[in-house]
Amino acid sequence: LVIPRDSLVDPEVEPVDLRMLMPEEEPAEVEVVSPWTKTVTIGVSGEKGNSESRDVNARANVRYETEENIFESNIVYTYENSDGDTTTDKKRIEGRYEWLYPDSPWRWFVEGGARKDRFKDWDYQWGAVTGPGYEFVKTEKVELVGRAGLGFQDQVGGEEDGTDMVGMLGATYNHEYNDRLAFTSLMRWVPIMNQMDDYQLDTRAQLDIKLFDKDEPWLLSLGAEWEHESEPGDAKANDVDYFANLGFSF
C-alpha cells in the first residue's frame, strides 16, 4: 500500500518557519567613542622650617576631535612663594580650532590666547593668528603638524604697549607609545612683522603616564616649558618651568 505524500499534509494548516523557534541573537555592542577628552592635573609642594615655600602648578586641557575638525584649549596657572616673597605668578589660557580637509594633509586653523605674568615687563598680552597647517606625519600613533599664520598681538603695559601685527611659525608633535604612555610637544615662534628681531619663542614638552589600567582616569603628568623673549625690558629673557602633576582624564 502506498500513501501519497501530499495526502499527509493538512492544506488548512500553515507551515511553521523553524527559524522562529530558534533563540534570537543579541546584536553586538558597538563601543561609542566620545570626541571629547578632558584632563585636569595639579602639583603642590611646600616647605616649613628654616625656610618656607609654597608651589602650585595647575593645568586643564579640553580636546574635541572628529573627522572634520579639532578644537583644543589649555588653562595653566603657576604660583611660587619662598619665605613670604612671591617669585612666580602667571596665568595662561589659549585655544585652537582647526578645519580638516578629507583625504588631504592640509588644514586651516585659528588660534588665540591671553596671558598674565606678574614678573614680566608688561601687565598682560592677548592676540590671535590664523593660517594653514600641514600634516607631515599622520599615523595611528604619531602626528607631526606644522602651522604658519598671521594675526595680531595686543600688549598692555611695558615699553612696547600697544597692538602689533605678528606672524607665527610652529609645530606640534604627538606620539602615543601605547595605551598608558603618551608624549606631546609644541614649538612656536611669534615675531612682530615690522621688527623681526623682536619675537617670542615658546617650546613645551609633556609626558602623560596612566597610573593603573588604561581605562582608569588617574595619570601622572611630567613636563617642561621654555619661554624666550628677545626684548624682555627689565625682566629676564628666559623663563623655564618644569612640573610633575597628578590628575585625571574624563
Side-chain angles (χ1 to χ4, degrees):
L1 177 62
V2 177
I3 301 175
R5 182 184 300 270
D6 295 342
S7 64
L8 299 177
V9 180
D10 188 348
E12 297 182 357
V13 178
E14 296 182 358
V16 177
D17 188 351
L18 296 179
R19 291 175 298 178
M20 298 179 60
L21 302 178
M22 300 177 63
E24 295 183 1
E25 295 183 0
E26 296 184 359
E29 295 185 1
V30 178
E31 183 180 359
V32 178
V33 179
S34 172
W36 291 97
T37 304
K38 300 172 281 289
T39 304
V40 177
T41 67
I42 186 170
V44 179
S45 64
E47 180 182 356
K48 190 171 185 178
N50 293 325
S51 62
E52 296 185 6
S53 65
R54 294 188 301 275
D55 300 340
V56 177
N57 184 280
R59 296 169 178 268
N61 173 270
V62 175
R63 183 180 175 91
Y64 174 88
E65 182 173 358
T66 67
E67 295 181 355
E68 293 81 23
N69 46 58
I70 299 175
F71 168 75
E72 186 167 7
S73 179
N74 295 285
I75 300 175
V76 178
Y77 173 65
T78 305
Y79 175 85
E80 297 177 5
N81 183 291
S82 179
D83 291 326
D85 295 326
T86 300
T87 56
T88 301
D89 185 3
K90 53 186 176 182
K91 311 165 187 69
R92 182 180 78 234
I93 181 171
E94 57 193 10
R96 181 194 307 121
Y97 192 93
E98 296 185 279
W99 292 267
L100 309 181
Y101 301 116
D103 303 321
S104 172
W106 290 96
R107 59 180 66 187
W108 192 270
F109 77 94
V110 57
E111 68 177 38
R115 60 179 182 166
K116 180 177 177 61
D117 192 327
R118 182 174 170 182
F119 294 94
K120 293 290 187 181
D121 185 55
W122 36 265
D123 296 326
Y124 65 87
Q125 291 179 337
W126 70 282
V129 296
T130 185
Y134 186 84
E135 296 174 356
F136 292 99
V137 179
K138 179 66 174 180
T139 67
E140 184 179 353
K141 297 292 186 180
V142 179
E143 179 186 74
L144 174 61
V145 179
R147 299 176 183 87
L150 292 173
F152 74 93
Q153 177 177 280
D154 185 54
Q155 178 172 300
V156 178
E159 298 178 357
E160 300 181 2
D161 184 280
T163 303
D164 294 299
M165 183 178 179
V166 297
M168 194 282 289
L169 184 65
T172 54
Y173 173 75
N174 303 323
H175 191 158
E176 184 179 345
Y177 293 95
N178 51 51
D179 293 333
R180 296 181 55 192
L181 187 65
F183 174 79
T184 60
S185 61
L186 172 148
M187 185 281 294
R188 181 168 53 207
W189 176 58
V190 182
I192 294 178
M193 296 304 294
N194 61 358
Q195 193 176 351
M196 296 294 287
D197 58 347
D198 188 356
Y199 63 88
Q200 294 176 349
L201 179 64
D202 294 339
T203 57
R204 307 170 193 170
Q206 181 172 322
L207 184 68
D208 291 331
I209 307 168
K210 289 279 189 176
L211 293 179
F212 305 107
D213 187 77
K214 65 177 182 177
D215 297 323
E216 295 293 329
W218 301 102
L219 58 89
L220 172 65
S221 184
L222 308 174
E225 297 182 350
W226 173 48
E227 298 178 358
H228 173 78
E229 288 191 359
S230 62
E231 301 290 341
D234 295 331
K236 295 181 178 179
N238 296 294
D239 264 346
V240 178
D241 294 326
Y242 51 89
F243 57 91
N245 293 4
L246 289 174
F248 59 94
S249 59
F250 56 99

